[in-house]
Amino acid sequence: MLYEGFARAGFQDVRPAYGSILLALFEEEGLQMGELAGRTRLSKQTLTTLIRDMRDKGLVRRIRDAEDGRAYRIYLSARATKFRGVADDVLADLDHRVEEALSPGGAESLRHSLNTLIHLGRTDRSLGSADH
């Protein structure tokens, strides 16, 4: 459904797999690859492949870090900034569909459950610390 919505708006080359990267960059641009990997919870290898693909599609720019010449910072392109409005609209439509499909309170329950699962990996890491 995400892809169909993106395609209808003229962004048929934007894959839903780019979502975590785009969301992180919508929040803060100019992240180094390591920072972006941490925020997206993607491996550096996967992130590198996706960033290369996104750059080829004109969604992001890689600019050498002025403070660390070995590193690059990732910025949204003008095209990605334009896409943000499309993504917001498609996600709002998807939220509306979910709310219509579920019983009253079901959408909120689903959001809560998904949020719990998303944060489960972060909780597991803290359980492995020396305190536990």
Side-chain angles (χ1 to χ4, degrees):
M1 288 189 284
L2 288 173
Y3 174 76
E4 290 170 3
F6 299 162
R8 277 193 306 273
F11 287 91
Q12 60 276 1
D13 60 338
V14 176
R15 298 173 27 206
Y18 303 156
S20 61
I21 298 168
L22 289 170
L23 288 174
L25 292 173
F26 289 156
E27 288 180 12
E28 182 180 358
E29 288 190 76
L31 298 172
Q32 286 186 353
M33 293 291 277
E35 295 169 316
L36 195 51
R39 290 187 189 193
T40 61
R41 299 177 72 189
L42 296 171
S43 71
K44 287 185 182 180
Q45 181 179 1
T46 299
L47 184 62
T48 298
T49 300
L50 288 171
I51 290 292
R52 183 177 22 251
D53 193 36
M54 292 172 72
R55 185 191 64 214
D56 292 347
K57 292 178 179 177
L59 294 168
V60 296
R61 300 174 294 127
R62 285 179 56 215
I63 298 176
R64 192 167 299 276
D65 189 322
E67 296 174 15
D68 180 356
R70 301 167 296 160
Y72 287 89
R73 294 195 175 268
I74 309 301
Y75 293 89
L76 295 169
S77 68
R79 182 170 185 255
T81 301
K82 190 175 182 181
F83 173 73
R84 184 177 190 168
V86 169
D88 288 343
D89 291 345
V90 170
L91 290 171
D93 180 58
L94 187 57
D95 279 346
H96 179 73
R97 288 171 154 191
V98 168
E99 288 178 13
E100 284 184 336
L102 298 177
S103 63
E108 186 57 37
S109 178
L110 176 62
R111 280 186 195 92
H112 175 74
S113 296
L114 290 173
N115 195 40
T116 298
L117 291 173
I118 287 168
H119 291 92
L120 185 63
R122 293 178 187 149
T123 303
D124 286 348
R125 279 189 221 130
S126 66
L127 292 176
S129 70
D131 294 341
H132 298 300

